Amino acid sequence: MIRVRFAPSPTGYLHIGAARSALFNWLYARREGGKFLLRIEDTDLQRSTDESTRSIFEGLQWLGLDYDEEVVFQSANADQHRAAAVQLVDEDKAYRDFTPKEERGGDANVKQEIAKRARRDADEGVDHRSNPYRELPLEESKQRAADGELFAVRLKVPREGRSVFEDGVFGTQERDYAEIEDLVLLRSDGHPLYNLSVVCDDIAMQITDVIRGQDHLTNTHKQVLIYEALGAPIPRFAHLPLILAPNKGKLSKRKHGAVVSLTTYRDRGFLPEAFRNALALLGWSPEGEQEIMPLDELREKFSLKGVHHSPAVFNFSESDPRQWTDQKALWMNAEYIRTMPLDELLPALRAELKAAGLWRPEYETSEHKWFEKTINLIRERFYTLKDFSGQGRAYFADDFEFDAAAVAKNLKKEPRLKELLPGLAGQIEQAEPFNAETAEAALRHFAEAAGVKAALLINASRTALTGQAVGPSMFEVFDIIGRECSARRLRAAAEMI
RNA sequence: GGGGUGUUGGUGGAAUUGGUUACCACGCCGCCCUCUCAAGGCGGAGGCUACGGGUUCGAUCCCCGUACACCCUACCA
């Protein structure tokens, strides 16, 4: 039985790259009939927050990725991790390093320091196995520890040979042991380090397939070494290409803000179906040319074979609000909004309208037909759920806003409208029965009688009734808005001229 | 400094395990439709498949080198 896991660290928000890892793990597990587990890697107590943990749960739920078994919190397993390190020391597979801890500078200097140290070590002929405590007799090591001397625990990496593993995406990966230093398993304050913790937890959770971001690819060799030292079976590994920013740099909150946070998409009116679909296409492609795929279809088609080796760029423009996020994702959301069966769209719609104070229970009962007609009419040109309460507000309430440009162009530009609009209102009121056809007839007759183009009245009506310069076919709008309300808004608009 | 991975039009991706004019989607431009804006239909621009060598009758595909990008290299995760 296949068992995979999603193991985010609860620092900040849920990153879309992490969300994609979750998706791929979920797809893989569900497709293979395996288990999808969740582990919160909250060992960095400084940076971990409850809010972030919540955003992980919310994000997974929003995306529809249900997990199996109990959630594992890594911090709860620290004792086991420590015990594993101690065991390795006892078995002589690891050793206590009594070298005093070297204080490091800030994060920004880490890379420089690494390079500097590497150069210095090369100059001095120091290699990765030169640690003076590596061959310290176990008795002496034990004694010094008992005497209260501080130590870190390091894994004894073999002097010769190479590490090899088969990656499900990138193929055979090899690395000389000489390039891997005796990694620290336990800090001198007793705190287990990442590589140890993941391996221990993955063993405890009986993970069979580790699917995660490519940023872990080279570290996998270290983890394999730990598995071997612990005598545990090594899982299959598969690494996913990274998602980069438009400049091909790292996609980070610091630099790019909300676009990288999954919750942003929920909050800005994305349909989970759509975002999930878009996410799936980042770093993976199905066999055919079909790109629009609901969850169950993604699940059927997903395969590691289709996962790419090269990173994907998440394309958006920080300067253009219309391109606040990836254009294709936005297009896909619009596509889902206008083509999804109404009953599937309804929950999201209801939530959006409720949040905006526009929802009425009648929409699901006595006014259901009207509601359905309205949604079908307006969703055609909407991109996000927010549009229903924004641009679409006039369909559900009277307190909508007028777009200044629309008012200028469609109302104020033609002074005669001040008289024409009330006249039109009168005609509209007399249409019987009132529907799109009779509204059209009334308007066209009125235009002819008044000697003006129908388009003038149509466009003026659009702004009068909806506050906008753009929208659906106007006669349908009259029908939707209704006779009384249409007439009222026409008269009110005349006052604005 | 060392190691790893990668590079197909602006973006996401194809191209039967080398075979004619490099395909699809998003975006962009134009036309049709038209009461606006979309949607839809039709059409178009945009690529010496990073660069340089090789192997081959033939290379996006195989090999070598270069450049660039990203990741790892930490008593961070």
Side-chain angles (χ1 to χ4, degrees):
Chain A
M1 159 92 78
I2 277 174
R3 292 168 65 85
V4 302
R5 70 350 184 237
F6 171 50
S9 50
T11 52
Y13 49 88
L14 180 55
H15 191 284
I16 54 173
R20 189 202 51 173
S21 289
L23 210 213
F24 284 17
N25 271 288
W26 186 92
L27 290 171
Y28 186 75
R30 297 282 107 108
R31 146 124 222 198
E32 307 289 335
K35 299 277 189 203
F36 171 66
L37 313 185
L38 177 61
R39 180 172 75 231
I40 306 291
E41 304 210 326
D42 56 347
T43 48
D44 186 339
L45 298 167
Q46 300 289 312
R47 295 194 295 157
S48 297
T49 65
D50 288 347
E51 190 191 347
S52 176
T53 303
R54 228 175 301 125
S55 90
I56 290 167
F57 290 127
E58 282 177 14
L60 289 179
Q61 190 184 23
W62 185 65
L63 284 175
L65 308 180
D66 55 321
Y67 52 86
D68 301 301
E69 304 182 6
E70 287 300 304
V71 180
V72 172
F73 286 88
Q74 187 162 67
S75 58
N77 300 337
D79 287 343
Q80 283 104 291
H81 304 163
R82 264 188 290 274
V86 169
Q87 177 200 329
L88 291 180
V89 170
D90 289 342
E91 292 173 357
D92 200 31
K93 290 171 179 163
Y95 59 96
R96 295 188 184 84
D97 179 0
F98 295 98
T99 311
K101 185 182 171 186
E102 207 177 306
E103 286 306 327
R104 302 211 158 265
D107 254 24
N109 303 320
V110 170
K111 275 174 199 281
Q112 290 170 32
E113 277 189 41
I114 290 166
K116 211 163 80 185
R117 199 185 70 166
R119 261 177 298 225
R120 194 189 59 210
D121 286 354
D123 287 348
E124 296 172 3
V126 174
D127 73 6
H128 284 150
R129 301 311 155 239
S130 312
N131 191 305
Y133 299 99
R134 188 179 154 100
E135 306 303 340
L136 194 68
L138 198 52
E139 280 312 309
E140 189 181 340
S141 166
K142 225 176 237 173
Q143 189 54 52
R144 289 175 71 161
D147 290 345
E149 198 170 340
L150 289 178
F151 61 88
V153 172
R154 285 181 184 271
L155 187 72
K156 273 191 185 174
V157 178
R159 287 181 189 279
E160 287 175 356
R162 45 191 357 212
S163 162
V164 181
F165 72 91
E166 195 65 23
D167 187 86
V169 170
F170 290 91
T172 307
Q173 299 294 308
E174 299 186 62
R175 198 174 173 191
D176 280 335
Y177 288 145
E179 287 153 13
I180 305 172
E181 76 172 329
D182 287 343
L183 57 146
V184 173
L185 266 19
L186 228 50
R187 263 183 354 202
S188 49
D189 63 4
H191 198 88
L193 255 51
Y194 172 74
N195 285 116
L196 207 221
S197 296
V198 237
V199 171
C200 287
D201 284 349
D202 282 339
I203 291 170
M205 291 165 80
Q206 301 176 58
I207 299 302
T208 61
D209 295 71
V210 174
I211 303 173
R212 77 241 286 195
Q214 199 196 342
D215 46 345
H216 294 284
L217 186 62
T218 37
N219 275 335
T220 303
H221 289 103
K222 295 181 182 174
Q223 294 174 17
V224 168
L225 248 12
I226 298 176
Y227 276 102
E228 286 169 343
L230 255 18
I234 297 166
R236 283 182 288 266
F237 292 97
H239 289 85
L240 273 17
L242 264 21
I243 299 176
L244 305 180
N247 65 356
K248 301 197 196 300
K250 197 171 189 164
L251 198 51
S252 71
K253 184 184 189 182
R254 250 196 80 140
K255 285 195 72 176
H256 306 101
V259 254
V260 299
S261 169
L262 184 73
T263 44
T264 298
Y265 294 87
R266 179 196 59 193
D267 297 343
R268 294 194 59 160
F270 263 79
L271 249 12
E273 291 85 345
F275 196 68
R276 196 206 275 144
N277 195 157
L279 220 42
L281 262 15
L282 246 30
W284 172 76
S285 54
E287 277 190 31
E289 279 180 351
Q290 184 192 345
E291 293 190 317
I292 300 282
M293 283 174 288
L295 231 211
D296 49 346
E297 207 164 330
L298 283 174
R299 186 183 50 211
E300 277 168 38
K301 297 199 169 167
F302 184 77
S303 157
L304 290 178
K305 275 203 215 79
V307 175
H308 312 139
H309 293 193
S310 51
V313 171
F314 196 63
N315 198 24
F316 58 92
S317 162
E318 280 153 303
S319 56
D320 184 352
R322 284 173 312 176
Q323 295 182 41
W324 67 272
T325 189
D326 190 272
Q327 285 288 279
K328 192 156 178 173
L330 224 33
W331 165 81
M332 196 164 277
N333 198 46
E335 180 71 14
Y336 270 85
I337 283 180
R338 66 176 167 257
T339 60
M340 216 181 222
L342 195 69
D343 56 322
E344 285 176 35
L345 187 61
L346 189 65
L349 221 42
R350 188 198 299 128
E352 173 59 29
L353 292 178
K354 261 185 187 163
L358 298 173
W359 177 256
R360 295 173 53 209
E362 292 79 25
Y363 292 159
E364 285 189 278
T365 56
S366 56
E367 289 180 33
H368 180 255
K369 280 192 80 171
W370 174 87
F371 184 70
E372 186 173 331
K373 196 156 82 171
T374 301
I375 295 303
N376 284 335
L377 189 67
I378 63 182
R379 67 170 166 166
E380 185 73 16
R381 60 215 76 207
F382 286 172
Y383 275 79
T384 74
L385 292 167
K386 288 284 158 210
D387 291 331
F388 287 95
S389 57
Q391 286 173 246
R393 190 172 184 93
Y395 295 91
F396 307 104
D398 284 325
D399 62 340
F400 59 92
E401 300 204 338
F402 284 83
D403 175 64
V407 171
K409 180 175 161 237
N410 289 339
L411 296 174
K412 296 198 167 166
K413 208 167 176 182
E414 175 52 81
R416 280 186 293 170
L417 284 169
K418 192 163 180 63
E419 277 70 48
L420 289 169
L421 256 22
L424 176 61
Q427 294 301 304
I428 288 291
E429 276 170 331
Q430 284 165 39
E432 185 61 46
F434 187 75
N435 57 39
E437 288 73 40
T438 57
E440 173 161 16
L443 184 142
R444 289 195 189 279
H445 286 145
F446 180 75
E448 204 175 327
V452 298
K453 282 188 172 177
L456 175 73
L457 296 177
I458 290 171
N459 289 324
S461 299
R462 173 149 33 238
T463 302
L465 267 60
T466 70
Q468 311 253 308
V470 302
S473 167
M474 204 44 216
F475 303 113
E476 300 292 333
V477 176
F478 275 119
D479 181 35
I480 293 286
I481 302 285
R483 182 180 2 222
E484 281 72 38
C485 185
S486 293
R488 187 169 10 110
R489 288 183 185 179
L490 286 172
R491 291 199 175 93
E495 299 299 315
M496 297 170 66
I497 297 170

